Amino acid sequence: MRGFSETEAAASSAEAERARTASLMRCRIAGTAPEPAFDRIAELAADLFGTPLCAISFLDSEHQWVKASVGFGGLADFPRQDGLCHHVVAEGGILVVPDAAANPRFRDLPAVRGPLGIRYYAGTPLVTRSGHRVGALCVADQVPRRATAGKARAQLARLGGLVMDAVSARRRTMARRDADGFVNATAAALITTDAAGTITFANAACERLLGYPEGGLRGHNVSLIVPARLRGHHVAGLANVAAGGAARLAGKNVEVTALRRDGSEIPVELSLTLWGAGETMGVGAVLRDISERRRRDARLVRLAHQDPRSGLPNRIRLADDLAALMGEGRPAGLLAIAVEGLRGLVDGLGHAVGDVLLEALAVRLTGRLAADALLARIGEDELAVLVPDEAGADAARSRAEGLISAFADPFHLGEHVLHVGARIGVALAPAHGADAEEVLASLDLALDRARREAAGSVRLFEPAMRDRAAERRALQDTLRGALSRGEIVLAYQPQIDLATGAIRGVEALIRWQHPERGLLPPADFLPAIESSALALRFGWWTIDEACRQAAAWRAAGLPPLTIAVNLFAEQVRAGTLADVVLEALARHGLPPDALELELTEVIALLDDEATRGPCGACTRGASASRWTISAPATPRWRR
């Protein structure tokens, strides 16, 4: 086996020194102030050996720190290499020097030739449980002595052991001090009890949480902080655990109620820990005040069940209350109210006016409802009423007609006199659904049907509405594919000038070239488009296709013709009509007068800001896209 090189030996020595100083740091004693426990050991050693000098020192990589001493005159630290203790730590055994001044190894040390003038020296290393030598206990004299014999050496070693026992005790004390400091400084409330439920400890946070002065909880039974109605359960559970039963709550977080000193109750989250068994069992708990969490949760629940603008209950609350009634086997009547004109008022006058109008409307409607009826807002312009224990269709219809009458008089809000109307859909539970979700779906269908009829209409749900809705959805799905497949086409009907007989333009008429049923008229499919998001898709396609055809005719040398295109209401409401029209004209290289956009009177009469000033949206095009209000309620492209 090869020997260590000088480099390897130096590296090993450096590593050992790092381990030794790390062990010293764990002792947390180097550089600390004097303490009575160590002073007493130093005095005992000086008396036992009859020496005027004694020191207990700890050595780091550079310094020798004097923890306790006799005869050293308050010396606290000095360079490690200046004293003899350095050799005790380095060599590992008891070192006895009868006359240091006569010993070539030590005579030049400052401790020997300096003011201390040490001649006789006996030192033992201070060794940790991990085997690291972190310091030394030494006795010394300023005159030479005979070498210390075996018994004295053993006594010196035992004194070194006493020092390390004191170091260990000090570490435990510091650990307890740190733990106590943390426990009392932490914001978490901590409490412990014995097997009988007697409180053995409560930190400052726990005392503050429960309203007790310092030490005011210790010694009392823990039932003191348990509400009276829960004490029996608590006492039984603790007795069961003390008897060896399973601790079902140990290691879990549970929300419970604690009783404060003033008699008030506070919600807390409890984390329970147990140790020991039987009479030696201890129970510890961490309590966290969750009052703010409860308030936040309650607020979230409230917000989840409340319309943010009007403050009225929302659709979720309506569904929950309906489900609760149905769960109790109680019937209920539901009315969905479409407030006609509300969207236009909000667009024209702002949300603030709309909110005030809703508030006034809620007051007026509530005055016509029974105390147990629930008025909710379920959409931008939709309200709903839930009437418990109303099962008859006639009673529900009569109530709906009474609510319609509430819209007859205008609303005077400051400088505004506002008129709104209503259409109402009616559904009954459980007649129109097996659960709340199905009943509300039936209510939506009834309101959708009412919206298609005259102002002031009331429609009761009929099962056939569900079938028609399913058919309409299926038709919409088919239409979506038809447009992608090129089955939707435009037919063009000439516009004749009666005075001259000349063709002045053409009207674009939408048709569906169905692969199985042939060419379908608009009446067979337009209602399904108008009642869905397809209106925008078909409307924008129609404008682009009309522009494409007009450009193609002009490119073929035909005289310029104006193409009239009917609009869907959703195109006007979208707010992007001008952009779409101008982009289509530019894309196909057409002048603005090539396209005529026609509004039906149904669209023109909508109480909506977007329809009140459509031409203003097209000012960028100057003469762009002439708007014509067509007299018939049915646009020509449906013919």
Side-chain angles (χ1 to χ4, degrees), residues 301-318 321 337 339 342 354-366 369 373-385:
V301 170
R302 185 175 67 254
L303 290 176
H305 290 78
Q306 186 180 66
D307 174 60
R309 299 207 66 90
S310 66
L312 292 171
N314 61 10
R315 189 181 183 96
I316 296 175
R317 167 73 185 281
L318 179 73
D321 284 15
I337 307 168
V339 183
L342 178 59
D355 294 344
V356 175
L357 174 60
L358 273 176
E359 182 178 344
L361 183 56
V363 171
R364 188 180 290 185
L365 292 176
T366 301
L369 296 171
L374 175 73
L375 177 64
R377 187 182 186 188
I378 59 173
E380 182 181 356
D381 62 347
E382 294 178 6
L383 301 175
V385 176

Tab-separated table of all heavy atoms in Angstrom, residues 301-318 321 337 339 342 354-366 369 373-385:
chain	number	residue	atom	x	y	z
A	301	VAL	N	-69.803	33.324	-1.633
A	301	VAL	CA	-71.094	32.656	-1.832
A	301	VAL	C	-72.155	33.686	-2.207
A	301	VAL	O	-72.979	33.475	-3.104
A	301	VAL	CB	-71.510	31.883	-0.559
A	301	VAL	CG1	-72.954	31.407	-0.671
A	301	VAL	CG2	-70.586	30.700	-0.336
A	302	ARG	N	-72.105	34.832	-1.492
A	302	ARG	CA	-73.078	35.885	-1.790
A	302	ARG	C	-72.905	36.399	-3.215
A	302	ARG	O	-73.868	36.568	-3.958
A	302	ARG	CB	-72.936	37.025	-0.790
A	302	ARG	CG	-73.988	38.118	-0.957
A	302	ARG	CD	-73.895	39.159	0.131
A	302	ARG	NE	-72.665	39.943	0.047
A	302	ARG	CZ	-71.639	39.820	0.866
A	302	ARG	NH1	-71.665	38.928	1.839
A	302	ARG	NH2	-70.565	40.576	0.729
A	303	LEU	N	-71.633	36.634	-3.598
A	303	LEU	CA	-71.384	37.123	-4.944
A	303	LEU	C	-71.775	36.082	-5.997
A	303	LEU	O	-72.255	36.432	-7.073
A	303	LEU	CB	-69.906	37.487	-5.105
A	303	LEU	CG	-69.440	38.724	-4.331
A	303	LEU	CD1	-67.936	38.905	-4.496
A	303	LEU	CD2	-70.181	39.969	-4.809
A	304	ALA	N	-71.544	34.806	-5.661
A	304	ALA	CA	-71.901	33.749	-6.603
A	304	ALA	C	-73.400	33.649	-6.795
A	304	ALA	O	-73.865	33.127	-7.805
A	304	ALA	CB	-71.341	32.407	-6.123
A	305	HIS	N	-74.168	34.149	-5.831
A	305	HIS	CA	-75.619	34.051	-5.893
A	305	HIS	C	-76.281	35.413	-6.088
A	305	HIS	O	-77.493	35.535	-5.920
A	305	HIS	CB	-76.160	33.413	-4.609
A	305	HIS	CG	-75.826	31.962	-4.478
A	305	HIS	ND1	-74.571	31.527	-4.084
A	305	HIS	CD2	-76.550	30.839	-4.708
A	305	HIS	CE1	-74.554	30.204	-4.061
A	305	HIS	NE2	-75.731	29.759	-4.443
A	306	GLN	N	-75.474	36.419	-6.472
A	306	GLN	CA	-76.022	37.765	-6.570
A	306	GLN	C	-75.543	38.432	-7.853
A	306	GLN	O	-74.373	38.333	-8.221
A	306	GLN	CB	-75.567	38.583	-5.353
A	306	GLN	CG	-76.169	39.968	-5.244
A	306	GLN	CD	-75.652	40.675	-4.006
A	306	GLN	OE1	-74.470	40.995	-3.893
A	306	GLN	NE2	-76.531	40.900	-3.054
A	307	ASP	N	-76.467	39.104	-8.533
A	307	ASP	CA	-76.101	39.872	-9.709
A	307	ASP	C	-75.303	41.100	-9.264
A	307	ASP	O	-75.773	41.873	-8.418
A	307	ASP	CB	-77.359	40.316	-10.460
A	307	ASP	CG	-77.025	41.250	-11.607
A	307	ASP	OD1	-76.286	40.839	-12.502
A	307	ASP	OD2	-77.499	42.406	-11.579
A	308	PRO	N	-74.090	41.312	-9.802
A	308	PRO	CA	-73.237	42.388	-9.285
A	308	PRO	C	-73.759	43.796	-9.549
A	308	PRO	O	-73.458	44.716	-8.800
A	308	PRO	CB	-71.904	42.143	-10.006
A	308	PRO	CG	-72.258	41.360	-11.228
A	308	PRO	CD	-73.423	40.523	-10.851
A	309	ARG	N	-74.539	44.007	-10.594
A	309	ARG	CA	-74.982	45.355	-10.938
A	309	ARG	C	-76.272	45.735	-10.214
A	309	ARG	O	-76.402	46.833	-9.677
A	309	ARG	CB	-75.172	45.505	-12.449
A	309	ARG	CG	-73.882	45.273	-13.230
A	309	ARG	CD	-73.908	46.024	-14.543
A	309	ARG	NE	-73.918	47.465	-14.320
A	309	ARG	CZ	-72.832	48.219	-14.223
A	309	ARG	NH1	-71.635	47.647	-14.305
A	309	ARG	NH2	-72.927	49.510	-14.036
A	310	SER	N	-77.224	44.822	-10.177
A	310	SER	CA	-78.515	45.163	-9.580
A	310	SER	C	-78.619	44.782	-8.108
A	310	SER	O	-79.466	45.298	-7.389
A	310	SER	CB	-79.639	44.469	-10.351
A	310	SER	OG	-79.547	43.060	-10.193
A	311	GLY	N	-77.752	43.856	-7.670
A	311	GLY	CA	-77.853	43.359	-6.303
A	311	GLY	C	-78.922	42.312	-6.129
A	311	GLY	O	-79.099	41.761	-5.040
A	312	LEU	N	-79.662	42.005	-7.192
A	312	LEU	CA	-80.706	40.973	-7.116
A	312	LEU	C	-80.069	39.583	-7.116
A	312	LEU	O	-78.958	39.399	-7.595
A	312	LEU	CB	-81.647	41.096	-8.316
A	312	LEU	CG	-82.536	42.335	-8.382
A	312	LEU	CD1	-83.242	42.399	-9.739
A	312	LEU	CD2	-83.563	42.333	-7.252
A	313	PRO	N	-80.777	38.595	-6.577
A	313	PRO	CA	-80.301	37.212	-6.718
A	313	PRO	C	-80.096	36.876	-8.193
A	313	PRO	O	-80.781	37.434	-9.066
A	313	PRO	CB	-81.435	36.382	-6.099
A	313	PRO	CG	-82.109	37.320	-5.153
A	313	PRO	CD	-82.030	38.669	-5.789
A	314	ASN	N	-79.164	35.967	-8.485
A	314	ASN	CA	-78.897	35.625	-9.879
A	314	ASN	C	-79.456	34.247	-10.223
A	314	ASN	O	-80.182	33.639	-9.439
A	314	ASN	CB	-77.394	35.711	-10.173
A	314	ASN	CG	-76.588	34.737	-9.324
A	314	ASN	OD1	-77.136	33.868	-8.653
A	314	ASN	ND2	-75.273	34.881	-9.353
A	315	ARG	N	-79.094	33.760	-11.384
A	315	ARG	CA	-79.647	32.486	-11.863
A	315	ARG	C	-79.216	31.321	-10.973
A	315	ARG	O	-79.978	30.376	-10.772
A	315	ARG	CB	-79.204	32.247	-13.311
A	315	ARG	CG	-79.909	31.046	-13.966
A	315	ARG	CD	-79.420	30.844	-15.395
A	315	ARG	NE	-80.147	29.760	-16.032
A	315	ARG	CZ	-81.205	29.898	-16.810
A	315	ARG	NH1	-81.690	31.119	-17.034
A	315	ARG	NH2	-81.810	28.861	-17.349
A	316	ILE	N	-77.988	31.381	-10.439
A	316	ILE	CA	-77.528	30.295	-9.558
A	316	ILE	C	-78.403	30.223	-8.319
A	316	ILE	O	-78.818	29.142	-7.897
A	316	ILE	CB	-76.053	30.514	-9.175
A	316	ILE	CG1	-75.165	30.444	-10.421
A	316	ILE	CG2	-75.595	29.489	-8.146
A	316	ILE	CD1	-73.709	30.764	-10.151
A	317	ARG	N	-78.693	31.396	-7.729
A	317	ARG	CA	-79.562	31.418	-6.550
A	317	ARG	C	-80.959	30.916	-6.907
A	317	ARG	O	-81.575	30.159	-6.134
A	317	ARG	CB	-79.615	32.844	-6.008
A	317	ARG	CG	-80.701	33.100	-4.975
A	317	ARG	CD	-80.416	32.479	-3.626
A	317	ARG	NE	-81.549	32.680	-2.738
A	317	ARG	CZ	-81.807	33.817	-2.086
A	317	ARG	NH1	-80.974	34.869	-2.225
A	317	ARG	NH2	-82.848	33.918	-1.285
A	318	LEU	N	-81.444	31.342	-8.062
A	318	LEU	CA	-82.768	30.886	-8.502
A	318	LEU	C	-82.795	29.367	-8.618
A	318	LEU	O	-83.727	28.706	-8.141
A	318	LEU	CB	-83.106	31.537	-9.846
A	318	LEU	CG	-84.454	31.160	-10.467
A	318	LEU	CD1	-85.598	31.817	-9.700
A	318	LEU	CD2	-84.504	31.586	-11.942
A	321	ASP	N	-82.663	27.700	-5.066
A	321	ASP	CA	-83.940	27.781	-4.352
A	321	ASP	C	-84.980	26.865	-4.977
A	321	ASP	O	-85.769	26.224	-4.269
A	321	ASP	CB	-84.446	29.222	-4.334
A	321	ASP	CG	-83.697	30.082	-3.333
A	321	ASP	OD1	-82.617	29.647	-2.879
A	321	ASP	OD2	-84.159	31.191	-3.011
A	337	ILE	N	-88.951	37.117	-17.367
A	337	ILE	CA	-89.423	38.383	-17.925
A	337	ILE	C	-88.333	38.977	-18.812
A	337	ILE	O	-87.237	39.280	-18.336
A	337	ILE	CB	-89.766	39.382	-16.801
A	337	ILE	CG1	-90.734	38.753	-15.797
A	337	ILE	CG2	-90.316	40.670	-17.372
A	337	ILE	CD1	-90.888	39.564	-14.522
A	339	VAL	N	-87.185	42.163	-20.449
A	339	VAL	CA	-87.439	43.601	-20.335
A	339	VAL	C	-87.084	44.242	-21.673
A	339	VAL	O	-85.911	44.462	-21.989
A	339	VAL	CB	-86.620	44.218	-19.187
A	339	VAL	CG1	-86.955	45.699	-19.037
A	339	VAL	CG2	-86.885	43.475	-17.884
A	342	LEU	N	-84.423	47.546	-22.553
A	342	LEU	CA	-83.401	47.788	-21.538
A	342	LEU	C	-82.009	47.901	-22.168
A	342	LEU	O	-81.227	48.781	-21.821
A	342	LEU	CB	-83.420	46.677	-20.498
A	342	LEU	CG	-82.362	46.786	-19.383
A	342	LEU	CD1	-82.519	48.091	-18.612
A	342	LEU	CD2	-82.457	45.594	-18.426
A	354	GLY	N	-79.224	52.415	-16.422
A	354	GLY	CA	-79.800	51.067	-16.480
A	354	GLY	C	-79.919	50.439	-15.102
A	354	GLY	O	-80.931	49.791	-14.790
A	355	ASP	N	-78.900	50.643	-14.248
A	355	ASP	CA	-78.946	50.092	-12.894
A	355	ASP	C	-80.080	50.714	-12.082
A	355	ASP	O	-80.778	50.022	-11.335
A	355	ASP	CB	-77.610	50.320	-12.185
A	355	ASP	CG	-76.466	49.539	-12.823
A	355	ASP	OD1	-76.758	48.611	-13.599
A	355	ASP	OD2	-75.304	49.867	-12.545
A	356	VAL	N	-80.235	52.037	-12.205
A	356	VAL	CA	-81.313	52.715	-11.474
A	356	VAL	C	-82.674	52.246	-11.969
A	356	VAL	O	-83.600	52.040	-11.184
A	356	VAL	CB	-81.171	54.247	-11.616
A	356	VAL	CG1	-82.357	54.957	-10.961
A	356	VAL	CG2	-79.871	54.721	-10.990
A	357	LEU	N	-82.780	52.050	-13.272
A	357	LEU	CA	-84.038	51.550	-13.822
A	357	LEU	C	-84.353	50.157	-13.280
A	357	LEU	O	-85.500	49.867	-12.899
A	357	LEU	CB	-83.963	51.514	-15.341
A	357	LEU	CG	-85.167	50.872	-16.051
A	357	LEU	CD1	-86.451	51.630	-15.732
A	357	LEU	CD2	-84.941	50.803	-17.558
A	358	LEU	N	-83.345	49.301	-13.236
A	358	LEU	CA	-83.563	47.954	-12.691
A	358	LEU	C	-84.010	48.017	-11.237
A	358	LEU	O	-84.873	47.253	-10.804
A	358	LEU	CB	-82.279	47.129	-12.810
A	358	LEU	CG	-82.061	46.390	-14.120
A	358	LEU	CD1	-80.707	45.697	-14.112
A	358	LEU	CD2	-83.166	45.367	-14.351
A	359	GLU	N	-83.395	48.924	-10.483
A	359	GLU	CA	-83.773	49.065	-9.075
A	359	GLU	C	-85.230	49.504	-8.951
A	359	GLU	O	-85.990	48.957	-8.145
A	359	GLU	CB	-82.851	50.082	-8.399
A	359	GLU	CG	-83.120	50.265	-6.915
A	359	GLU	CD	-82.163	51.252	-6.267
A	359	GLU	OE1	-81.123	51.569	-6.882
A	359	GLU	OE2	-82.463	51.708	-5.150
A	360	ALA	N	-85.616	50.498	-9.765
A	360	ALA	CA	-87.002	50.968	-9.731
A	360	ALA	C	-87.957	49.871	-10.175
A	360	ALA	O	-89.052	49.699	-9.608
A	360	ALA	CB	-87.144	52.197	-10.621
A	361	LEU	N	-87.552	49.117	-11.192
A	361	LEU	CA	-88.385	48.027	-11.692
A	361	LEU	C	-88.529	46.939	-10.635
A	361	LEU	O	-89.614	46.372	-10.442
A	361	LEU	CB	-87.761	47.467	-12.965
A	361	LEU	CG	-88.534	46.357	-13.694
A	361	LEU	CD1	-89.940	46.817	-14.030
A	361	LEU	CD2	-87.785	45.936	-14.946
A	362	ALA	N	-87.425	46.626	-9.916
A	362	ALA	CA	-87.482	45.616	-8.863
A	362	ALA	C	-88.449	46.024	-7.770
A	362	ALA	O	-89.220	45.203	-7.255
A	362	ALA	CB	-86.085	45.385	-8.289
A	363	VAL	N	-88.422	47.316	-7.399
A	363	VAL	CA	-89.349	47.806	-6.370
A	363	VAL	C	-90.788	47.674	-6.846
A	363	VAL	O	-91.679	47.216	-6.112
A	363	VAL	CB	-89.021	49.275	-6.026
A	363	VAL	CG1	-90.107	49.863	-5.120
A	363	VAL	CG2	-87.664	49.368	-5.351
A	364	ARG	N	-91.023	48.049	-8.102
A	364	ARG	CA	-92.397	47.986	-8.624
A	364	ARG	C	-92.893	46.547	-8.715
A	364	ARG	O	-94.043	46.250	-8.362
A	364	ARG	CB	-92.456	48.660	-9.998
A	364	ARG	CG	-93.865	48.810	-10.535
A	364	ARG	CD	-93.893	49.487	-11.886
A	364	ARG	NE	-93.532	50.925	-11.807
A	364	ARG	CZ	-93.580	51.727	-12.867
A	364	ARG	NH1	-93.944	51.244	-14.063
A	364	ARG	NH2	-93.262	52.999	-12.726
A	365	LEU	N	-92.049	45.653	-9.185
A	365	LEU	CA	-92.474	44.258	-9.313
A	365	LEU	C	-92.656	43.603	-7.945
A	365	LEU	O	-93.593	42.822	-7.738
A	365	LEU	CB	-91.447	43.474	-10.137
A	365	LEU	CG	-91.345	43.853	-11.613
A	365	LEU	CD1	-90.224	43.052	-12.279
A	365	LEU	CD2	-92.666	43.594	-12.332
A	366	THR	N	-91.731	43.892	-7.016
A	366	THR	CA	-91.823	43.296	-5.689
A	366	THR	C	-93.136	43.666	-5.014
A	366	THR	O	-93.725	42.862	-4.275
A	366	THR	CB	-90.633	43.747	-4.824
A	366	THR	OG1	-89.405	43.345	-5.458
A	366	THR	CG2	-90.689	43.120	-3.441
A	369	LEU	N	-95.759	41.128	-5.761
A	369	LEU	CA	-95.448	39.723	-5.474
A	369	LEU	C	-95.674	39.409	-4.002
A	369	LEU	O	-95.604	40.293	-3.139
A	369	LEU	CB	-93.985	39.415	-5.828
A	369	LEU	CG	-93.601	39.543	-7.305
A	369	LEU	CD1	-92.084	39.428	-7.456
A	369	LEU	CD2	-94.304	38.478	-8.134
A	373	ALA	N	-92.003	35.192	-2.547
A	373	ALA	CA	-91.561	35.087	-3.941
A	373	ALA	C	-90.135	35.626	-4.070
A	373	ALA	O	-89.738	36.545	-3.363
A	373	ALA	CB	-92.508	35.849	-4.861
A	374	LEU	N	-89.373	35.045	-4.971
A	374	LEU	CA	-87.993	35.463	-5.211
A	374	LEU	C	-87.905	36.143	-6.572
A	374	LEU	O	-88.284	35.569	-7.591
A	374	LEU	CB	-87.050	34.254	-5.186
A	374	LEU	CG	-85.586	34.535	-5.544
A	374	LEU	CD1	-84.900	35.270	-4.394
A	374	LEU	CD2	-84.836	33.251	-5.876
A	375	LEU	N	-87.411	37.391	-6.577
A	375	LEU	CA	-87.175	38.120	-7.828
A	375	LEU	C	-85.676	38.070	-8.120
A	375	LEU	O	-84.864	38.440	-7.270
A	375	LEU	CB	-87.638	39.570	-7.702
A	375	LEU	CG	-87.380	40.480	-8.914
A	375	LEU	CD1	-88.170	39.992	-10.127
A	375	LEU	CD2	-87.724	41.927	-8.586
A	376	ALA	N	-85.292	37.603	-9.293
A	376	ALA	CA	-83.881	37.426	-9.645
A	376	ALA	C	-83.606	38.039	-11.011
A	376	ALA	O	-84.513	38.251	-11.822
A	376	ALA	CB	-83.519	35.940	-9.656
A	377	ARG	N	-82.325	38.349	-11.242
A	377	ARG	CA	-81.890	38.775	-12.571
A	377	ARG	C	-81.108	37.632	-13.184
A	377	ARG	O	-80.089	37.203	-12.643
A	377	ARG	CB	-81.017	40.024	-12.487
A	377	ARG	CG	-80.678	40.588	-13.865
A	377	ARG	CD	-79.779	41.808	-13.771
A	377	ARG	NE	-79.572	42.416	-15.077
A	377	ARG	CZ	-78.718	43.405	-15.324
A	377	ARG	NH1	-77.974	43.910	-14.323
A	377	ARG	NH2	-78.595	43.909	-16.543
A	378	ILE	N	-81.556	37.152	-14.349
A	378	ILE	CA	-80.942	35.960	-14.931
A	378	ILE	C	-80.267	36.240	-16.267
A	378	ILE	O	-79.731	35.330	-16.886
A	378	ILE	CB	-81.987	34.837	-15.099
A	378	ILE	CG1	-83.135	35.292	-15.995
A	378	ILE	CG2	-82.501	34.391	-13.750
A	378	ILE	CD1	-84.116	34.179	-16.337
A	379	GLY	N	-80.283	37.476	-16.710
A	379	GLY	CA	-79.636	37.835	-17.964
A	379	GLY	C	-79.523	39.334	-18.061
A	379	GLY	O	-80.002	40.080	-17.200
A	380	GLU	N	-78.883	39.801	-19.142
A	380	GLU	CA	-78.679	41.237	-19.304
A	380	GLU	C	-80.003	41.987	-19.273
A	380	GLU	O	-80.107	43.047	-18.658
A	380	GLU	CB	-77.948	41.507	-20.616
A	380	GLU	CG	-77.650	42.981	-20.852
A	380	GLU	CD	-76.954	43.225	-22.178
A	380	GLU	OE1	-76.629	42.236	-22.874
A	380	GLU	OE2	-76.741	44.401	-22.527
A	381	ASP	N	-81.014	41.445	-19.937
A	381	ASP	CA	-82.318	42.110	-19.957
A	381	ASP	C	-83.426	41.149	-19.533
A	381	ASP	O	-84.563	41.260	-19.987
A	381	ASP	CB	-82.611	42.673	-21.346
A	381	ASP	CG	-82.696	41.584	-22.419
A	381	ASP	OD1	-82.280	40.438	-22.130
A	381	ASP	OD2	-83.162	41.870	-23.539
A	382	GLU	N	-83.077	40.217	-18.653
A	382	GLU	CA	-84.044	39.204	-18.219
A	382	GLU	C	-84.131	39.141	-16.697
A	382	GLU	O	-83.109	39.099	-16.011
A	382	GLU	CB	-83.669	37.828	-18.760
A	382	GLU	CG	-83.769	37.710	-20.276
A	382	GLU	CD	-83.340	36.337	-20.773
A	382	GLU	OE1	-83.080	35.459	-19.919
A	382	GLU	OE2	-83.259	36.143	-21.994
A	383	LEU	N	-85.346	39.140	-16.190
A	383	LEU	CA	-85.620	38.921	-14.777
A	383	LEU	C	-86.392	37.616	-14.649
A	383	LEU	O	-86.906	37.072	-15.631
A	383	LEU	CB	-86.447	40.074	-14.199
A	383	LEU	CG	-85.835	41.478	-14.285
A	383	LEU	CD1	-86.828	42.517	-13.789
A	383	LEU	CD2	-84.551	41.561	-13.473
A	384	ALA	N	-86.446	37.097	-13.443
A	384	ALA	CA	-87.219	35.877	-13.203
A	384	ALA	C	-87.873	35.968	-11.837
A	384	ALA	O	-87.371	36.640	-10.929
A	384	ALA	CB	-86.335	34.632	-13.287
A	385	VAL	N	-89.003	35.290	-11.705
A	385	VAL	CA	-89.728	35.240	-10.443
A	385	VAL	C	-89.989	33.782	-10.099
A	385	VAL	O	-90.448	33.009	-10.948
A	385	VAL	CB	-91.068	36.009	-10.530
A	385	VAL	CG1	-91.848	35.859	-9.227
A	385	VAL	CG2	-90.830	37.483	-10.842
